[in-house]
Amino acid sequence: MYAYIDGRLVFKSPAYVVIDANGVGYHINISLNTYSLLGDAERCKLFTWLHVKEDAHTLYGFADESERNLFLHLISISGIGPNTGRMMLSSITPDEIQAAIINGNVSVIQRIKGIGPKSAQRVILELQDKLRKEGAISGNSAPVAKTAKDEALAALVTLGFARNAAEKVLDQELNRSGGTLTVEELIKFALKSL
């Protein structure tokens, strides 16, 4: 329902923030990861997800879309609700969670409070292929100058192609052409080859 809320940060604690957006104060639950990324900014923008239950409507906020996407993946697992998902994002960074899932590292996931061995295995089993297919979902790193190959690869992964296969096709075409193709040319070639 709400994609994001942008406004003046009125109150900030490790558990939630209050953002004043045009005279309406939104109480938004956050993870420690988001809390640390907010810093001391007076104005902030949080990507949100609204959890609707019979007795409550609860907003969850995230510093970037990649954290929200990981949260949505986590809560799609049976037995993991929004509070457990937020606890997971507060215990270790989204990058660490993603790496642990992709690499099948049960012990890292199991260290999170409220996650037992069976839950950790279920998270890895159900999300490993999805996260591998999506590739890195982190938005926390500093912006890097993207090459034509990087942009083409990101576009192909977004379209649903496997990252490894797309990267192989792009590398072959770049080697053949001497690396002078535009993003559009690379994508067109890859679409014909995949």
Side-chain angles (χ1 to χ4, degrees), residues 26 40 54 75 77-78 81 93 100 116 125 136 150 158 182:
Y26 293 93
D40 293 327
E54 195 173 295
I75 65 171
I77 306 298
S78 175
T93 68
L125 182 69
D150 292 336
T158 302
T182 66

Side-chain angles (χ1 to χ4, degrees), residues 19-169:
I19 296 178
D20 178 343
N22 296 320
V24 178
Y26 293 93
H27 179 283
I28 305 172
N29 293 304
I30 60 171
S31 68
L32 286 176
N33 179 63
T34 295
Y35 176 79
S36 65
L37 293 174
L38 285 176
D40 293 327
E42 185 177 319
R43 184 167 184 87
C44 73
K45 175 181 181 179
L46 291 181
F47 295 89
T48 57
W49 179 75
L50 178 64
H51 182 229
V52 178
K53 293 191 306 187
E54 195 173 295
D55 60 343
H57 291 200
T58 309
L59 272 173
Y60 292 87
F62 309 94
D64 54 49
E65 287 186 85
S66 64
E67 184 182 12
R68 178 176 60 184
N69 290 340
L70 181 57
F71 173 81
L72 293 173
H73 280 308
L74 292 171
I75 65 171
S76 72
I77 306 298
S78 175
I80 297 181
N83 283 328
T84 304
R86 182 171 68 147
M87 173 68 71
M88 292 176 79
L89 292 169
S90 294
S91 300
I92 58 178
T93 68
D95 290 340
E96 290 170 332
I97 293 172
Q98 179 180 319
I101 291 170
I102 289 173
N103 297 325
N105 194 338
V106 175
S107 63
V108 171
I109 304 294
Q110 193 178 331
R111 280 195 319 235
I112 300 168
K113 186 177 187 277
I115 302 294
K118 287 184 180 176
S119 293
Q121 289 170 346
R122 190 177 321 118
V123 166
I124 290 169
L125 182 69
E126 292 187 31
L127 295 182
Q128 195 171 41
D129 289 340
K130 286 181 187 175
L131 294 181
R132 273 191 186 138
K133 185 178 177 186
E134 288 179 9
I137 59 172
S138 172
N140 297 340
S141 57
V144 178
K146 292 194 173 206
T147 63
K149 178 192 168 195
D150 292 336
E151 289 185 35
L153 182 59
L156 292 167
V157 169
T158 302
L159 290 172
F161 291 99
R163 184 178 193 82
N164 293 343
E167 193 164 18
K168 186 176 178 182
V169 167

